Amino acid sequence: MRIVVLTGAGISAESGVPTFRDADGLWEGHRVEDVATPEAFAWQPELVHAFYDLRRAALATVEPNPAHRALARLEEHLGDDLTLVTQNIDDLHERAGSRDVVHMHGELRSALCTTCGARSPHTASLADEPPCPGCATPTLRPDVVWFGEVPYELGRIERALETADRFVSIGTSGAVYPAAGFVQVARAAGARTLELNLEPSEGTDFFHEARHGRAGELVPAWVDQVLEDTLAGR
Ligand SMILES: [Zn+2]
């Protein structure tokens, strides 16, 4: 049983991580193009650093929830047969016990050097321009994929989707590509597809099945079911 799981903002929202985009379309009071594009960083690096420094520091105030822990339990049983892909830049999957997480949109607790390209773990502020651990140049930026940039590990994700028996999307809006297209890739390759979300996503019709409710309840129940099926050889 090979499974690809995609998680989005909805799973972290239940831990109290604010979703980026509010109902008014702003991110914590900022326009997207002012904090989450390469142009914004070139124009106002102080504002962009302050925005991500705050979000990185806020990770200390949230904890993984039962949905994160259930996915860590699934990895324990399936090992490499599970590919866990997240659009989230927080570290809640890791703190729940997941060891191999594909952060397609990067990570708050990582820095990217614009001089040498090295990615390094980083938990402090970036606003005070610390040196890169690789090349010592003080040119670190948040290691997050901004609008107009290419997500990480798309090759690995595509290979996993093409050999998956099941594809499950958890807490995603179905609005942000390329992740919104993963269900169609998996389905075309023969996978059974399931949506677990608070409400029908924009892409809900692409899934074979959809269950709507809180991730903290739906995900542990789904994992229990998968492990029963696996044990029974179904
Ligand atoms: Zn460097």
Side-chain angles (χ1 to χ4, degrees):
M1 173 83 75
R2 298 174 68 85
I3 301 180
V4 177
V5 171
L6 170 70
T7 66
I11 190 171
S12 293
E14 288 181 27
S15 285
V17 177
T19 53
F20 266 123
R21 202 178 296 241
D22 304 329
D24 56 8
L26 297 180
W27 285 11
E28 308 270 292
H30 296 286
R31 296 187 312 155
V32 167
E33 51 269 36
D34 289 339
V35 290
T37 62
E39 293 77 16
F41 185 62
W43 177 244
Q44 289 187 303
E46 307 82 9
L47 173 66
V48 173
H49 276 315
F51 178 80
Y52 288 98
D53 278 356
L54 267 178
R55 304 187 69 83
R56 189 179 308 106
L59 292 179
T61 67
V62 294
E63 295 290 335
N65 66 58
H68 295 104
R69 288 194 287 274
L71 292 171
R73 188 157 54 92
L74 187 62
E75 184 189 49
E76 267 176 42
H77 289 271
L78 294 184
D80 291 345
D81 286 339
L82 173 69
T83 302
L84 176 56
V85 181
T86 187
Q87 296 174 280
N88 300 332
I89 57 176
D90 61 60
D91 59 352
L92 293 176
H93 282 304
E94 285 85 353
R95 283 159 60 195
S98 288
R99 286 183 293 270
D100 188 8
V101 185
V102 181
H103 280 274
M104 64 180 292
H105 290 162
E107 296 177 69
L108 278 169
R109 287 188 161 171
S110 177
L112 171 66
C113 178
T114 60
T115 301
C116 73
R119 305 174 70 189
S120 51
H122 192 88
T123 54
S125 162
L126 284 171
D128 48 8
E129 302 189 334
C132 166
C135 71
T137 316
T139 49
L140 298 178
R141 57 163 268 187
D143 189 11
V144 298
V145 176
W146 286 325
F147 287 89
E149 296 183 319
V150 179
Y152 286 119
E153 301 204 64
L154 288 180
R156 178 182 171 191
I157 296 168
E158 192 171 328
R159 285 192 297 278
L161 290 170
E162 285 172 350
T163 55
D165 300 301
R166 296 194 192 182
F167 171 75
V168 184
S169 175
I170 301 169
T172 73
S173 65
V176 179
Y177 279 83
F182 290 173
V183 57
Q184 287 149 289
V185 176
R187 197 167 170 159
R192 179 91 189 157
T193 57
L194 170 67
E195 168 171 282
L196 303 177
N197 203 38
L198 198 54
E199 56 199 21
S201 75
E202 286 186 28
T204 195
D205 290 343
F206 293 122
F207 291 83
H208 290 107
E209 184 189 350
R211 301 175 193 169
H212 298 128
R214 291 176 59 82
E217 291 158 17
L218 293 180
V219 177
W222 170 72
V223 167
D224 286 344
Q225 184 194 337
V226 169
L227 294 180
E228 276 176 34
D229 287 357
T230 307
L231 285 174
R234 284 193 287 261

